[in-house]
Amino acid sequence: MDILKRCWTPPENYNFSEDAIAVGSKRKFNHSWLQAYAPWLAYSKILKGALCLYCEKSPRCFRFIYHQTFYTIQTIHAVANKSIFIMSVILIAKYSKLLEPVVNALQSKNLDLLKCSNFIKKIVVIVKDHREHADTEIQELLTAANIAAENIGAEINLPRIVKQQQHRSNPPALNSAEFWKRSLLIPYLDSLISSLERRFSDENIPAFSLLLLHPSNMLDMNTKEFKLKINDFANYYQIKDLESEAELWYNIWKEKKLAKSKLSDMEMSEVVEETDIFFPKIKQALHISLAQPCTTSTIERSFSTLRRVKTWLRSTMTENRLNGLCILSVHRKLLDEKKEEMQQKILSRFCEDSRRLSLL
């Protein structure tokens, strides 16, 4: 740390032109860059070039910044100073804080999807209220964005708008607040509300009800209420003869008379061990609950699939065809299982159109 803190700093009248000529560079270093990119940027008197502070002290990672990474840094700095970037970061940060407790709960060991679902419904109510009062929300967003922009020496401005805009949103607006409300805030809130309502809708409650088989949740209900809940997810997952085992399962845990805190600390995998050989249907239901995904990797799978599907020879295909090929690539195992059936359906679909090509 002492070596890093005592890094040599060239004086303001230092002649960088001579260093540039010595290393055969067409560009010379600017002293103001040391302040603009402090504290990680340093200048090496021996190598006669700009380096990362840690590279300047470590011979194994010598890299001239203006030859390899300086242009990348300039690009990142230019993007970070754009109004759309600052506004987007402030907006996402605001609602990420609102969703952070739910994210932590969904990733915890003692997961309770029913509680998370009820909590998310309250969040949806708040977000819908923000959607209705978008004028007030956009003013708060602009205030926070202006403070953030001022800290980095930027300014929140309207993007240049032309009559025929194709590559970004071009909503009619008389002022900055109206533009950001229509182009950024309202689309984001609509997308957030739609995603939360779709993932945690009332249709999925029977699927989440499997977690009621956990003793800490089960013993909070009476026997009659528990049987009704059992029927819901037994019919949803088509688990036969679950009701008879569930009543015995309820009575066994009630007779143990364990403390509520001890039951809450039990993980679902520990509860599965208690099923042993006498509760095969309960065990099946608990295995389903352990396999329930709380998040999805659809986006990541789409990117990796797109790399394989959209090759140089397929660069001009339509969106409908591209989506179909990506789905076939992602679900290739299912396609192999029903290969003959899929072939017949594809042939039948192509035969419906009048073609001079003979398929059969």
Side-chain angles (χ1 to χ4, degrees), residues 118-226:
N118 294 331
F119 187 78
I120 284 175
K121 289 180 180 178
K122 297 177 182 178
I123 293 178
V124 170
V125 173
I126 294 175
V127 177
K128 285 183 176 179
D129 182 69
H130 291 179
R131 172 66 173 81
E132 292 179 1
H133 301 86
D135 293 332
T136 305
E137 295 300 321
I138 196 60
Q139 292 296 338
E140 296 179 0
L141 185 66
L142 278 172
T143 302
N146 285 323
I147 294 173
E150 186 178 352
N151 292 334
I152 62 174
E155 187 178 355
I156 302 297
N157 296 318
L158 282 175
R160 186 173 63 89
I161 299 176
V162 296
K163 293 182 179 179
Q164 295 181 352
Q165 189 68 260
Q166 297 179 354
H167 300 292
R168 56 182 170 84
S169 58
N170 189 23
L174 299 176
N175 51 49
S176 178
E178 192 71 20
F179 174 81
W180 294 115
K181 182 184 74 172
R182 294 182 178 181
S183 64
L184 184 64
L185 179 63
I186 291 179
Y188 180 83
L189 294 181
D190 288 342
S191 176
L192 182 61
I193 293 169
S194 176
S195 299
L196 292 177
E197 287 182 340
R198 184 177 65 254
R199 289 178 179 272
F200 298 92
S201 63
D202 293 337
E203 297 177 357
N204 296 327
I205 288 180
F208 302 156
S209 299
L210 280 174
L211 296 171
L212 292 175
L213 292 173
H214 193 285
S216 62
N217 300 326
M218 179 175 57
L219 297 179
D220 289 338
M221 301 179 290
N222 54 41
T223 309
K224 186 177 180 181
E225 186 180 359
F226 179 65

Side-chain angles (χ1 to χ4, degrees), residues 228-239:
L228 292 175
K229 297 291 185 181
I230 289 293
N231 291 330
D232 290 340
F233 63 77
N235 296 330
Y236 185 86
Y237 287 105
Q238 298 180 359
I239 304 176

